[in-house]
Amino acid sequence: MTEKGSGFQVQGFGFTVPCPMRSNTRPGTRNLEPRTRNLEPGTRNPEPGTRNPEPGALRAYVDLARPFTLVAPALGFISGALTAVGAAPPEPWSTRLLVPPIIGSIMAAVLNAGNNALNQIYDLEIDRVNKPARPLPSRRLTAGDAWTFTAIAYLVAIVLAWLVAPGGRHECFWLVTIAVVCTFMYSVPPVRTKRLGIWANLTIAIPRGVLLKVAGWSSVKTTAGFEPWYIGAIFGLFLLGATTTKDFADMEGDRLGNCRTLPIQFGVRRAAWMISPSFVVPFLMIPAGAWAHVLTGNFWLLQALGALMTVYGIYVCYLMLRRPEELAIEANHVSWAHMYRMMFVAQIGFAIAYVL
């Protein structure tokens, strides 16, 4: 019988009997071993400066882009375009009408992929603690690989934005240019607003909330009116607080990276209360805008959407505030998932309220 790994191998029989290893962690101290479980199967930690080829370069680039985050911007752009189609005066449907919104939705997803990669480049030390399975800390990609991906994604997005020009207007291009500046302000020193509490939330809310909706609108109609900016403000105010839901579980790495997020500055409980209004107040603007004739979609559908989103937001606040300490314990608190779901419901709801 010989010792092998965490068990004993019985000679001559070819099997291993598991034998739990005795923990050396003293009572009352933290065991840091669970951090290693965040590594994806098949990943290793080779010497710095080398690339881990497993589980494949293509998979690594897909993980760098974080594809599950690309649906929201694409949907947001399409929703903004459909909202513009139905806004007074409504646009007549045609094949030509659909081309700019489709190009714009691809642009929004590609830009978000580039932004994700850019953020991971400058968050490398933080991700070694919070997200060690990501392509850069796990050495599946080098910083040079990530920069190449980022440059290509941003270039493609900017070119696509220029092509979204109904009636020869390039409003989408200029809106996307402002959004690109915001993404660099968020991630790249010396500005790097990610370090600066509420300023981090603001530089996320402006491009992903306000400008995304207005850019979608610009693929159909001019943005000169008040209505697209009012709709953008609804989504911007929502993200101003809701983006903090991702910060609670990342406090350890953010603290080491000198990122003073709201949970670090004010504590978990107080931060949860601070962001709660963003889950409710913006959606009260929907029925108010319909009553004031600022929103020109279907009046009763907008009333229903406002009521639904307000109730949904109150429910998410309940989940956050009943036991706020769980926000910093769970890897991704349920409120983070609900933030994405609320965004999807609101985007689809606006499109339906304006098209029907």
Side-chain angles (χ1 to χ4, degrees):
M1 183 179 295
T2 60
E3 185 175 354
K4 183 179 181 181
S6 60
F8 291 90
Q9 185 177 37
V10 181
Q11 295 179 350
F13 291 92
F15 64 86
T16 302
V17 179
C19 178
M21 300 297 291
R22 184 172 59 186
S23 173
N24 293 324
T25 305
R26 293 179 298 176
T29 62
R30 292 182 58 191
N31 187 349
L32 299 179
E33 290 181 359
R35 284 287 177 189
T36 62
R37 291 201 300 265
N38 291 326
L39 289 173
E40 296 182 1
T43 61
R44 298 179 297 201
N45 286 312
E47 293 299 320
T50 63
R51 182 192 293 118
N52 184 351
E54 302 173 8
L58 179 59
R59 169 63 185 276
Y61 282 110
V62 170
D63 290 345
L64 185 70
R66 301 180 65 206
F68 70 92
T69 68
L70 308 185
V71 178
L75 177 63
F77 195 98
I78 288 291
S79 173
L82 292 176
T83 301
V85 170
E91 297 288 329
W93 285 97
S94 67
T95 304
R96 182 186 303 178
L97 183 68
L98 299 177
V99 174
I102 292 173
I103 296 175
S105 65
I106 298 172
M107 176 277 301
V110 172
L111 178 61
N112 198 65
N115 180 27
N116 287 339
L118 178 69
N119 193 48
Q120 290 175 66
I121 291 171
Y122 286 97
D123 274 2
L124 178 56
E125 295 305 318
I126 294 175
D127 286 344
R128 291 190 198 278
V129 177
N130 290 338
K131 305 289 190 303
R134 283 185 172 177
L136 292 179
S138 65
R139 309 289 183 187
R140 288 182 289 145
L141 292 177
T142 65
D145 297 330
W147 269 117
T148 300
F149 179 90
T150 301
I152 292 173
Y154 271 92
L155 179 61
V156 170
I158 290 173
V159 171
L160 291 175
W162 181 261
L163 298 177
V164 180
R169 300 185 305 270
H170 290 285
E171 293 171 304
C172 182
F173 172 80
W174 297 112
L175 292 167
V176 169
T177 300
I178 297 172
V180 167
V181 173
C182 289
T183 63
F184 274 80
M185 290 175 61
Y186 176 80
S187 298
V188 181
V191 180
R192 190 162 165 77
T193 60
K194 182 170 182 173
R195 303 175 293 113
L196 306 177
I198 193 62
W199 290 101
N201 295 42
L202 188 63
T203 46
I204 291 176
I206 289 175
R208 300 193 182 202
V210 180
L211 297 182
L212 175 65
K213 294 297 293 183
V214 179
W217 181 289
S218 75
S219 68
V220 176
K221 281 186 169 80
T222 179
T223 62
F226 182 64
E227 187 172 7
W229 296 97
Y230 186 89
I231 297 172
I234 293 173
F235 287 88
L237 289 173
F238 169 64
L239 288 178
L240 184 63
T243 54
T244 292
T245 56
K246 69 178 177 55
D247 294 331
F248 290 103
D250 292 342
M251 290 175 64
E252 182 179 356
D254 287 342
R255 187 177 286 109
L256 292 174
N258 196 31
C259 290
R260 304 287 296 170
T261 59
L262 295 184
I264 291 176
Q265 283 186 325
F266 301 103
V268 172
R269 179 178 296 274
R270 187 176 176 187
W273 280 99
M274 289 173 65
I275 68 173
S276 293
S278 287
F279 287 88
V280 178
V281 174
F283 302 114
L284 296 175
M285 295 171 61
I286 300 175
W291 278 106
H293 303 292
V294 174
L295 302 179
T296 59
N298 184 290
F299 177 85
W300 292 111
L301 288 179
L302 288 171
Q303 297 299 317
L305 176 62
L308 173 64
M309 294 306 302
T310 300
V311 172
Y312 195 172
I314 292 173
Y315 171 68
V316 175
C317 289
Y318 164 73
L319 294 178
M320 288 194 303
L321 300 177
R322 63 173 178 170
R323 286 192 292 269
E325 63 278 358
E326 292 182 357
L327 291 165
I329 296 175
E330 299 180 12
N332 280 312
H333 190 263
V334 66
S335 61
W336 180 83
H338 278 300
M339 184 265 289
Y340 272 96
R341 292 169 189 153
M342 289 184 71
M343 182 69 75
F344 291 159
V345 173
Q347 301 283 21
I348 295 172
F350 257 100
I352 293 175
Y354 273 76
V355 171
L356 296 184

